Amino acid sequence: GNSVTQMEGPVTLSEEAFLTINCTYTATGYPSLFWYVQYPGEGLQLLLKATKADDKGSNKGFEATYRKETTSFHLEKGSVQVSDSAVYFCALHDSGGYQKVTFGTGTKLQVIP
Amino acid sequence: NAGVMQNPRHLVRRRGQEARLRCSPMKGHSHVYWYRQLPEEGLKFMVYLQKENIIDESGMPKERFSAEFPKEGPSILRIQQVVRGDSAAYFCASSPPGTTPPYEQYFGPGTRLTVT
């Protein structure tokens, strides 16, 4: 079956530091890949997505590139802010026409001033 | 355009009671998904419904849990005879009809169920 593996948190960074959150996946076929963000007490919001190999998703300074050869979709941001503190989930949508989503366990990011 | 709505936002039940969680999808969306998030864990898929049909319930516990999405009204996730282990955040997501991926899902704010 499909699976998503994320680096364990929490990740604590100082403001303006560089962020990488690793994500690798196992899937049959060609899934679409997503990063969702969950702020405290809220639901998940889509942060960015990529639908095919070598696609780069980007939003709010965050980027991730769909790497088929390494089955990875690592999230990066060049300079984090305190407001980026949240839990980040990597996810994949099955490519088989069925809309089931498989989530990673989430990585908590804490940015300190 | 209102987003996915869930109510109640917080629900407290004693062991053995029933819990009913409601989800109204975004306007124009006909696909609904329920997920459960246990403390400090990721989201686990429970069930996928379209109007009046359960498409996939492979993530639903075999007993006490049921879900529906009637022709009119919100989707309901029902948990009978709740136990402490049911305490979690339950999220609903919806997506529009269509055949072209990616089938982006939009999430509601969740219902936090506490069983005492």
Side-chain angles (χ1 to χ4, degrees):
Chain A
N2 297 338
S3 68
V4 176
T5 302
Q6 287 183 238
M7 63 186 289
E8 288 197 18
V11 173
T12 302
L13 295 173
S14 297
E15 211 166 16
E16 300 184 2
F18 184 85
L19 168 71
T20 299
I21 300 179
N22 290 338
C23 171
T24 57
Y25 67 90
T26 302
T28 54
Y30 304 96
S32 296
L33 301 174
F34 296 75
W35 277 99
Y36 287 87
V37 58
Q38 184 180 30
Y39 297 102
E42 298 185 11
L44 275 71
Q45 300 173 26
L46 179 67
L47 181 60
L48 52 83
K49 62 185 179 187
T51 59
K52 60 183 187 298
D54 300 325
D55 267 4
K56 177 186 281 188
S58 61
N59 186 27
K60 300 181 181 179
F62 290 89
E63 292 183 340
T65 301
Y66 188 163
R67 301 283 188 204
K68 188 169 180 293
E69 63 276 14
T70 54
T71 62
S72 65
F73 193 54
H74 304 323
L75 182 68
E76 296 181 337
K77 187 174 185 183
S79 176
V80 294
Q81 304 302 313
V82 172
S83 57
D84 294 327
S85 299
V87 181
Y88 292 82
F89 292 93
C90 185
L92 68 84
H93 285 210
D94 198 284
S95 61
Y98 176 79
Q99 304 187 35
K100 188 172 180 177
V101 179
T102 301
F103 283 90
T105 53
T107 302
K108 185 174 182 178
L109 170 66
Q110 185 176 12
V111 180
I112 55 178
Chain B
N1 186 15
V4 178
M5 297 170 64
Q6 289 188 249
N7 66 82
R9 293 292 306 275
H10 300 274
L11 181 62
V12 179
R13 285 286 178 267
R14 291 198 179 97
R15 278 180 297 169
Q17 291 184 318
E18 178 180 288
R20 279 183 178 244
L21 289 62
R22 295 175 187 78
C23 169
S24 296
M26 286 181 71
K27 187 176 181 180
H29 288 193
S30 56
H31 302 237
V32 166
Y33 316 79
W34 285 94
Y35 296 86
R36 177 164 64 176
Q37 184 179 32
L38 294 170
E40 306 300 322
E41 294 189 13
L43 276 73
K44 300 293 186 187
F45 168 81
M46 299 182 75
V47 62
Y48 162 39
L49 310 105
Q50 296 178 16
K51 285 282 188 182
E52 300 184 281
N53 282 307
I54 296 175
I55 307 302
D56 182 353
E57 56 182 347
S58 59
M60 289 272 274
K62 293 286 186 278
E63 297 177 351
R64 302 186 298 107
F65 285 72
S66 62
E68 63 177 10
F69 188 17
K71 188 176 181 181
E72 301 291 337
S75 175
I76 306 286
L77 179 68
R78 183 182 177 207
I79 311 172
Q80 295 177 291
Q81 299 175 321
V82 296
V83 300
R84 287 224 173 99
D86 297 331
S87 295
Y90 292 82
F91 290 96
C92 169
S94 72
S95 65
T99 57
T100 304
Y103 307 107
E104 189 171 313
Q105 296 184 10
Y106 297 81
F107 283 79
T111 294
R112 281 158 179 79
L113 172 66
T114 302
V115 179
T116 61

